[in-house]
Amino acid sequence: MTYGRTECSTRETTPADVSLIQIRQPAVTSSYRMICFPGSRNSADYYLAMSELLLPTVELLTVQYPALTAEEECGGEAGAALVDKIFEAVRCWTDRPLALFGHRLGAELAFRVAQRLERETDAGPLTLFVSGRTGPGHGGSLGPPALNCRVVALTGDHDPAAPLTGVRTWRRSTAGRFDLEVFPGTRGYLDSHRREVVNLVHDQLISYQEPAPD
C-alpha cells in the first residue's frame, strides 16, 4: 500500500463546506494519522483531549461538517453529497498510514468514506473505528463485505441507541479482522473511559508493522 498527499484547496470555506481541522500540529512527524468523524457539529473538545494523549505517535484531524447537516440522519441524495464532500477533503491527507474514527452518525459517514478510499485510492485505512452505532446490515441483508480493512466497534453495554446485537453486525461489513470493545454504561463512555479508548486506538495501530520513515 502506498501513501501520497493530494494537493488540498486553500480557498476560504463557507458554512456549506466540509473542512478538516488539524487538532494540534505535532512537533515531530507522527507515524500514523487518524481522521475523526464526530457525532455532531459541536463536539471537537473530546478529540482535542484525545489528541493530547495520542501524540506524537498518532496525529488527529476532525471533520467539520456543513451547517445544519451533522445533526440529521443522512440518507438519499443529501447523504451521498455529504460523503462526496468529506471524501474529497480526506483524500488530501493520505500521505501516511491512516485510521478513521466515527461516533454515532460519524460512524456511518466514516464507513462510507472508508469504502471510497479503498475503492478509489491506493491509501485505504488500516482500521475503521465505529462507535455507538449499529452496523450497516442490522435488520437486513448486507451482501458481500464492503471493506477489507480491520473494523473495531465500540459501544456501551446498555446503550439503547446501539444495542450489542446491532453493533456486532459490523462484523459483516469487512473481509478483514473485526474486534468488539464494550464499555460499562450507556452514552458517556468516550469521556468516562477516554484513557481506555486512547489505549485501544494506539494498540490497534502499532500492532501493524512499523511504517518506514519518510
Side-chain angles (χ1 to χ4, degrees), residues 23 34-38 47 50 60-63 65 100-102:
I23 296 180
M34 188 164 76
I35 298 177
C36 300
F37 294 67
Y47 299 101
M50 194 175 183
L60 261 64
L61 289 85
T62 185
V63 177
Y65 301 119
L100 306 181
F101 187 107

Side-chain angles (χ1 to χ4, degrees), residues 133-212:
R133 191 76 164 185
T134 56
H138 181 51
S141 60
L142 184 63
L147 295 172
N148 293 308
C149 67
R150 179 183 297 178
V151 172
V152 180
L154 298 76
T155 190
D157 60 1
H158 294 96
D159 187 347
L164 275 175
T165 53
V167 175
R168 287 193 181 100
T169 61
W170 281 105
R171 176 66 189 97
R172 297 157 56 191
S173 70
T174 184
R177 175 173 166 176
F178 173 74
D179 292 311
L180 174 64
E181 297 291 334
V182 182
F183 298 91
T186 55
R187 297 174 178 270
Y189 59 87
L190 289 186
D191 286 315
S192 60
H193 295 275
R194 179 179 295 128
R195 174 65 71 175
E196 291 91 334
V197 172
V198 166
N199 288 343
L200 171 66
V201 169
H202 184 270
D203 292 348
Q204 288 279 349
L205 292 180
I206 66 171
S207 69
Y208 290 92
Q209 183 177 357
E210 187 70 12

